[in-house]
Amino acid sequence: MAEENLEAKLKHHLKQDKIQLWNPPYTNDNNDPGKTQMQDLAEGYAPMVGFSVSEVGSVLEAIRAQTVKRGQGNKAFKETCVATLELMLPRDGKKETKKKNYLETKLDFPVQEIMNRIGEKYGFKYIKLILNGKTLSADQRLDEQGVRNNSKIMVLRVNEEDRRRQITEDEQKKNQKESIDRTQKGFQILSERDGSEDPETTPFLEIADQKGNPLQIPHEEKKALILAMGFHEKGRSLLKRKQHDNALCHLLQADQQFGRCGSALLTSVDNYAVLQLDIVWCYQALEALSCLDDGKMRLQKAEDCFLHCYGEQQQRLLMIKGSQGREEVLFLRLYLLQSLLSYVEGNDSQAAQQLQKVESLYSRLCPDLDKMTQLMSLGFSEREARLGLRACQGDVEEAAMHITNRRQEREALKEREEAKRSSRVEAVAVLTEMGYSRADASRALHQAQGDVNRAYAILVDAQTVFVTNNNSESAVSEELVQQLLYLGFERQVSETALRLTDGDLQLATQLLLDNQGVLSPDLLSASPPSSPSEEHSSSSDEPSTSRHRPRTSSKAKEDRELVNEVLEDISRHEDDYLDLTLEEESELIATMKSYLSRGNTHAV
């Protein structure tokens, strides 16, 4: 960081003094440095920037060489259309990853070809390329994705854990590529579920407010929000395991999904702000400080979002949650990252000012071990003790009451959910006793918001409409229906699929497989719910192919595995994102203090 800080300061002075290092007398005709003039510059600037003459001279030469190379690259680009890209390689201690690295290429090349060249040159097995916080698609060209001459490209090595295990290259590539794909597929499945099926066998996600009350959100926006929050949870899970490369890939995917949500929604919840902090935290962990502009933009978004969500004095937060201490860790991280980026820009005074705010918050929020022990001796968990003390400004008695109240709130919410689930089970039982299938009963109850009488009316109306429509339609072949039932699909969707495909068994089968055996409500409206007589006939005459037979297709099994896999990454505690131990923050605070004090010492 010190080198970036010094470089920013020197560039500011050079611009102010209108000095062009790529021109004589600082660069001669052979593009070599003018040693005497460069030495004079170093001696003049050293006391102004607070570094030694040798350090200043070294960075000045790096700036000069970079400007000369850029000038040569610009000339070559005009003449040959060959662009020069600056690569920000993963920091692993190797010499070539610490110096500036460049790649020359035409911009009409596919990204995959560039990835292959980078992998071969630097020995990376699998990578992703990031431009301005966006992941470049391997199957598209560079210029189609905004890559220009002199663009800075961040190179991410994905799934470092697999590399350390030294699995075979093919297995590693498969795992790395599938990591994001599997996350997306899993949450895509969950986002399509509306809760109309039995939650015991078909889990679904519900978007709720801070009090656990479900939010009514348009379907498409809800799908995007579930995908965004799902990728965010996966990224945070990887962050905890210090897999910053892989975490950043998932967090950037979350950012893309959040972009599909309405701006009103993004500014009304703090999820989007927390995501921006997590992305910039990844940048600093990967030492990708060249992503300065993108980092500043993201921190500004986070600050604006917090302001809108919490209020200027966090009055909205107090009104909603009754305290603000737990959320202050988010501001600590925000101010710390702002301090870091100010320092990298060469603005030491702004960095010091933000760091003072960080240290003030840290002194209040850093867990007091004695108080933590007191609360844990009362039977509270470490997480509860830490969050409780922050919420109550370190008061042990108030923290104990706060934790107890939070437990009671969660228990009350759990009881409401259990009562709701029990009521639903009873309602489904009532309708199934009347002869309707569980699937039809569940869908009707969901549409009727749990009202049994309305659900029954919906089932009767749907049956009536079908009978009326069926007078003018030819019935589907029972033989074809039986074949689909044998494959594990339910009768209703089988009949609908056959009707939609004009009795083509192959097309009907493919339609059901593509839709995971579940057709949308608008398609199902063309097919009736099971009537009591149908249900009785099916259960008595066709025990081996009953509509209640669970699907055993490989697709259904894969879906279950994907859903279970992504659900493992979702925290079971709603305040998990606030439960920072501040150990990593403490290390960065110490680093910042050492850099800033070093600058002050030199300046004196």
Side-chain angles (χ1 to χ4, degrees):
M1 278 194 300
E3 184 175 332
E4 284 87 353
N5 172 265
L6 175 55
E7 183 177 331
K9 288 178 178 176
L10 289 174
K11 285 181 177 179
H12 172 73
H13 284 294
L14 290 168
K15 184 177 180 180
Q16 193 174 49
D17 297 339
K18 298 181 180 179
I19 293 176
Q20 299 176 334
L21 294 181
W22 61 92
N23 287 330
Y26 308 103
T27 299
N28 60 30
D29 293 339
N30 296 323
N31 289 326
D32 294 325
K35 294 184 178 179
T36 302
Q37 291 79 7
M38 291 293 289
Q39 180 66 21
D40 290 343
L41 270 184
E43 291 175 357
Y45 283 147
M48 298 170 65
V49 296
F51 285 82
S52 68
V53 173
S54 62
E55 288 174 312
V56 172
S58 176
V59 174
L60 277 173
E61 171 53 23
I63 295 173
R64 188 202 68 82
Q66 183 183 2
T67 57
V68 169
K69 183 172 183 60
R70 173 168 287 210
Q72 293 172 332
N74 290 340
K75 182 180 179 182
F77 182 67
K78 288 180 181 179
E79 296 174 352
T80 65
C81 293
V82 174
T84 301
L85 308 180
E86 183 179 336
L87 302 180
M88 294 175 280
L89 301 178
R91 298 291 183 102
D92 58 4
K94 294 180 181 179
K95 185 176 180 181
E96 64 267 18
T97 66
K98 294 182 179 180
K99 66 180 183 179
K100 292 187 183 295
N101 295 273
Y102 299 92
L103 180 76
E104 294 182 349
T105 178
K106 289 194 173 183
L107 298 177
D108 57 357
F109 284 6
V111 170
Q112 185 61 61
E113 184 172 327
I114 305 306
M115 291 168 65
N116 293 340
R117 286 175 57 188
I118 294 172
E120 291 173 6
K121 183 174 181 179
Y122 299 104
F124 300 141
K125 290 185 178 180
Y126 185 75
I127 59 175
K128 283 189 177 292
L129 303 183
I130 310 295
L131 174 68
N132 297 328
K134 303 292 184 183
T135 303
L136 297 182
S137 299
D139 57 349
Q140 294 182 356
R141 297 183 346 185
L142 292 165
D143 53 4
E144 291 175 336
Q145 302 182 73
V147 180
R148 301 290 180 263
N149 184 39
N150 297 319
S151 286
K152 293 182 178 181
I153 306 292
M154 183 179 180
V155 180
L156 277 187
R157 200 169 31 201
V158 183
N159 225 339
E160 192 68 16
E161 184 178 45
D162 288 340
R163 187 187 70 81
R164 285 198 296 269
R165 291 175 182 169
Q166 296 182 333
I167 61 178
T168 68
E169 184 173 348
D170 288 342
E171 288 175 332
Q172 182 188 13
K173 275 196 171 187
K174 181 180 178 182
N175 288 341
Q176 290 162 339
K177 289 180 179 178
E178 284 184 353
S179 178
I180 287 179
D181 289 343
R182 289 180 68 82
T183 300
Q184 175 145 359
K185 287 178 182 177
F187 282 106
Q188 186 79 49
I189 294 167
L190 286 167
S191 72
E192 296 287 351
R193 293 176 178 175
D194 57 10
S196 62
E197 299 177 69
D198 186 354
E200 292 294 329
T201 57
T202 312
F204 72 101
L205 295 180
E206 197 166 49
I207 307 297
D209 61 18
Q210 292 92 335
K211 295 292 186 180
N213 302 310
L215 294 176
Q216 298 302 317
I217 302 173
H219 181 63
E220 287 305 313
E221 200 164 13
K222 181 181 178 181
K223 284 171 57 179
L225 189 57
I226 286 177
L227 279 170
M229 295 172 71
F231 272 117
H232 192 184
E233 287 291 329
K234 178 69 175 182
R236 282 173 27 78
S237 175
L238 292 165
L239 262 180
K240 289 179 181 178
R241 300 198 290 269
K242 304 294 178 67
Q243 297 179 25
H244 297 106
D245 293 279
N246 210 7
L248 183 56
C249 288
H250 286 80
L251 295 175
L252 292 175
Q253 288 289 328
D255 190 53
Q256 288 184 18
Q257 293 299 331
F258 268 121
R260 298 177 183 175
C261 300
S263 58
L265 180 63
L266 294 186
T267 55
S268 62
V269 294
D270 62 5
N271 304 69
Y272 186 60
V274 175
L275 172 64
Q276 303 310 311
L277 289 185
D278 288 339
I279 290 174
V280 183
W281 191 259
C282 267
Y283 284 166
Q284 71 82 23
L286 293 167
E287 297 184 45
L289 301 178
S290 297
C291 297
L292 183 63
D293 290 338
D294 187 60
K296 285 178 63 179
M297 177 193 69
R298 292 186 184 280
L299 293 183
Q300 188 60 55
K301 284 183 181 179
E303 189 167 19
D304 292 343
C305 187
F306 284 140
L307 181 65
H308 193 276
C309 291
Y310 298 159
E312 289 190 14
Q313 302 300 323
Q314 300 184 28
Q315 66 270 23
R316 290 191 65 231
L317 186 62
L318 284 168
M319 192 178 356
I320 294 171
K321 292 192 175 182
S323 67
Q324 62 190 50
R326 295 175 306 168
E327 280 73 15
E328 284 188 323
V329 294
L330 301 176
F331 289 93
L332 184 151
R333 182 169 277 195
L334 171 66
Y335 298 149
L336 181 54
L337 290 170
Q338 287 176 336
S339 176
L340 171 66
L341 294 189
S342 293
Y343 179 75
V344 173
E345 280 188 308
N347 192 340
D348 290 12
S349 61
Q350 181 67 27
Q353 182 179 341
Q354 291 299 94
L355 192 60
Q356 283 183 346
K357 294 161 71 174
V358 171
E359 291 187 276
S360 175
L361 282 172
Y362 182 80
S363 64
R364 297 205 310 268
L365 301 175
C366 186
D368 183 303
L369 295 182
D370 291 336
K371 293 179 179 180
M372 290 272 292
T373 302
Q374 288 181 55
L375 288 170
M376 291 168 67
S377 68
L378 297 175
F380 300 127
S381 68
E382 181 181 339
R383 183 205 304 269
E384 288 177 317
R386 184 161 43 240
L387 292 175
L389 286 169
R390 286 174 183 166
C392 300
Q393 289 75 50
D395 189 303
V396 175
E397 291 186 9
E398 286 191 16
M401 290 180 59
H402 174 82
I403 298 169
T404 302
N405 290 337
R406 292 284 293 172
R407 281 187 172 185
Q408 291 173 350
E409 289 173 4
R410 283 195 293 271
E411 190 61 33
L413 178 62
K414 183 179 178 182
E415 288 176 359
R416 289 199 302 271
E417 289 295 325
E418 289 178 350
K420 183 179 176 182
R421 193 156 43 244
S422 177
S423 175
R424 174 194 171 85
V425 170
E426 291 176 5
V428 169
V430 169
L431 293 172
T432 53
E433 285 175 5
M434 298 171 71
Y436 295 102
S437 73
R438 270 184 80 83
D440 290 336
S442 295
R443 275 190 289 271
L445 279 167
H446 180 73
Q447 188 176 344
Q449 298 182 329
D451 188 308
V452 179
N453 292 328
R454 282 180 56 200
Y456 176 67
I458 290 170
L459 290 166
V460 171
D461 289 345
Q463 184 67 31
T464 302
V465 170
F466 172 74
V467 171
T468 302
N469 292 341
N470 213 33
N471 291 332
S472 59
E473 294 180 8
S474 58
V476 296
S477 166
E478 180 62 23
E479 181 182 351
L480 296 178
V481 173
Q482 289 299 320
Q483 292 187 53
L484 290 177
L485 290 174
Y486 183 75
L487 293 175
F489 299 114
E490 294 185 355
R491 173 176 288 275
Q492 182 185 356
V493 292
S494 298
E495 291 175 348
T496 301
L498 286 166
R499 192 170 290 110
L500 291 171
T501 57
D502 295 325
D504 189 312
L505 179 63
Q506 186 174 354
L507 288 177
T509 303
Q510 189 61 49
L511 175 64
L512 292 172
L513 289 173
D514 290 344
N515 288 276
Q516 302 155 25
V518 180
L519 299 183
S520 61
D522 57 327
L523 293 178
L524 286 171
S525 63
S527 182
S530 56
S531 66
S533 59
E534 283 177 341
E535 191 69 22
H536 177 75
S537 172
S538 174
S539 60
S540 59
D541 299 332
E542 302 154 2
S544 63
T545 59
S546 168
R547 63 183 296 145
H548 293 299
R549 175 185 174 183
R551 290 207 304 136
T552 57
S553 68
S554 59
K555 179 65 176 173
K557 181 180 179 182
E558 181 186 355
D559 287 354
R560 286 195 297 271
E561 290 176 352
L562 285 169
V563 168
N564 291 335
E565 184 179 304
V566 297
L567 287 177
E568 289 179 2
D569 288 309
I570 297 180
S571 172
R572 298 296 184 264
H573 198 287
E574 69 272 19
D575 291 329
D576 180 70
Y577 72 106
L578 301 174
D579 186 33
L580 303 179
T581 64
L582 299 183
E583 292 176 2
E584 292 180 82
E585 287 78 2
S586 175
E587 293 176 5
L588 187 53
I589 289 170
T591 301
M592 288 297 302
K593 289 177 69 175
S594 68
Y595 280 129
L596 287 170
S597 63
R598 178 188 178 190
N600 292 333
T601 302
H602 278 302
V604 173

